[in-house]
Amino acid sequence: MFFHKKKEVRKTYDPAVRKPLIRVSICTGEQTAGFRNLKTINFEVVMLIRDEADMDEFRNMYGIEGEIEHFY
């Protein structure tokens, strides 16, 4: 058996076209991270946020720094 370290995959996004957001359910409080297309206002879900580790993973995956806006 060979054990390989999982490669960190850095994805990119165009801030002029897409904005990172956290969508929060009003009923359950469930949070999903993704991107809103600034032209069509569509929200593309990337991952479920269960805790701060998931939030850090989302930030690291796309190189996002600072606070990410929440919307309901």
Side-chain angles (χ1 to χ4, degrees):
M1 283 252 149
F2 292 99
F3 297 98
H4 297 282
K5 186 176 181 182
K6 187 175 181 179
K7 293 182 182 179
E8 183 177 321
V9 178
R10 176 135 301 169
K11 300 176 182 179
T12 60
Y13 72 98
D14 184 359
V17 178
R18 298 180 351 165
K19 179 180 180 179
L21 292 172
I22 304 298
R23 181 173 62 188
V24 182
S25 169
I26 294 172
C27 297
T28 63
E30 180 180 79
Q31 298 182 3
T32 52
F35 293 93
R36 174 175 275 171
N37 185 314
L38 297 174
K39 294 180 183 179
T40 64
I41 312 297
N42 290 338
F43 183 74
E44 173 191 345
V45 175
V46 174
M47 64 185 292
L48 179 66
I49 303 295
R50 292 172 290 209
D51 55 19
E52 196 61 37
D54 289 340
M55 183 69 79
D56 291 339
E57 180 182 348
F58 178 65
R59 282 192 176 110
N60 291 334
M61 193 181 329
Y62 288 95
I64 301 168
E65 296 180 7
E67 283 297 311
I68 300 174
E69 184 180 339
H70 290 69
F71 79 100
Y72 300 88

